[in-house]
Amino acid sequence: MSDANTTALAKALSSAMGEIHQRGWCDGTGGNFSCVLSQQPLRLLMAPSGVHKGSVAPRDLIQVDGEGHVLSGQGKASAETALHLEIIKVCGAGAVLHTHSQAGTLLSQWAIDQAAGGGRGALELKSLEMLKGLEGVKTHDCSVFVPALANDQDLSALSSRANPLLADAPHGLLIAGHGLYAWGRNLGSAMRHLEILEFLLEQRWRQLLLAAITAR
């Protein structure tokens, strides 16, 4: 990618992170975000770990190789880079966006708790017009299942457990008590999927709350 294109992508990623923060999906130092700069060799543009994601300027972004090593920029790569790389490898994603929204954090744990065990589950989202915002979905009259995995501080192990679930995932993955990973062919597509999935997650927990209230 040329210097001009890298600069443009850095501005776009910085702007996207600011918007995501304003929507309350990555408070404090939460969340991590990446875009693919090149495939051969694989190089990512990312926010550094441990910084406030709502105030990361384009010049603050780091470049990371396919092994998660920092190639340029100040700061270190998040340990969760391993999961970004797995999603990029399996799904051909051009951008991966990880949020810590209230709905995503709540429902990711709920989906695991509802499952039979084994540290994995799935969250069903169905019968909503906004499903059609997910690439490949043509009608509201359907269900999609967002896979959910128990959290693990060993990101290599977590990425390995995620691997067989990613190809059929609806551009999203939930990590229990941690939040949502959303992705797309490029940053614009990833942002669209993130917004759609966050809307659907918000709807799902409100549906559960409404059902509990009306059952009294």
Side-chain angles (χ1 to χ4, degrees):
M1 182 174 285
S2 69
D3 289 345
N5 288 338
T6 298
T7 297
L9 186 59
K11 290 180 178 178
L13 182 56
S14 173
S15 177
M17 288 191 294
E19 180 180 342
I20 290 167
H21 171 73
Q22 288 178 352
R23 300 185 74 159
W25 296 343
C26 64
D27 291 335
T29 60
N32 48 67
F33 310 93
S34 68
C35 291
V36 175
L37 279 172
S38 68
Q39 285 285 356
Q40 297 293 334
L42 184 58
R43 180 174 290 196
L44 306 185
L45 187 68
M46 301 189 73
S49 179
V51 301
H52 187 284
K53 303 306 190 299
S55 57
V56 177
R59 65 178 178 278
D60 299 325
L61 297 170
I62 59 175
Q63 293 188 25
V64 177
D65 68 15
E67 301 298 320
H69 301 133
V70 177
L71 299 173
S72 67
Q74 300 297 313
K76 65 178 182 178
S78 168
E80 294 165 18
T81 302
L83 190 47
H84 286 242
L85 291 167
E86 196 71 23
I87 292 168
I88 290 163
K89 178 178 73 175
V90 174
C91 303
V96 180
L97 307 174
H98 168 48
T99 51
H100 288 197
S101 70
Q102 290 283 349
T105 304
L106 174 71
L107 289 173
S108 58
Q109 187 65 62
W110 182 83
I112 293 294
D113 291 344
Q114 296 300 303
R120 58 187 286 184
L123 181 70
E124 183 181 14
L125 304 170
K126 64 180 182 178
S127 304
L128 291 169
E129 186 70 15
M130 287 288 274
L131 285 164
K132 291 160 58 179
L134 298 173
E135 188 172 327
V137 177
K138 304 299 184 184
T139 175
H140 75 282
D141 188 18
C142 70
S143 292
V144 302
F145 293 86
V146 183
L149 288 173
N151 200 2
D152 194 330
Q153 295 304 297
D154 182 342
L155 267 295
S156 178
L158 182 61
S159 299
S160 294
R161 288 194 289 116
N163 178 283
L165 306 175
L166 294 173
D168 294 326
H171 312 287
L173 169 72
L174 290 165
I175 304 298
H178 192 46
L180 172 70
Y181 283 79
W183 58 87
R185 290 172 288 104
N186 50 42
L187 180 58
S189 174
M191 278 291 288
R192 185 184 89 208
H193 290 147
L194 177 65
E195 290 176 352
I196 293 295
L197 287 167
E198 287 286 3
F199 175 91
L200 294 169
L201 292 174
E202 185 79 12
Q203 279 288 302
R204 186 69 185 106
W205 85 257
R206 288 174 185 247
Q207 289 169 353
L208 291 167
L209 179 61
L210 182 61
I213 292 171
T214 54
R216 292 176 180 176

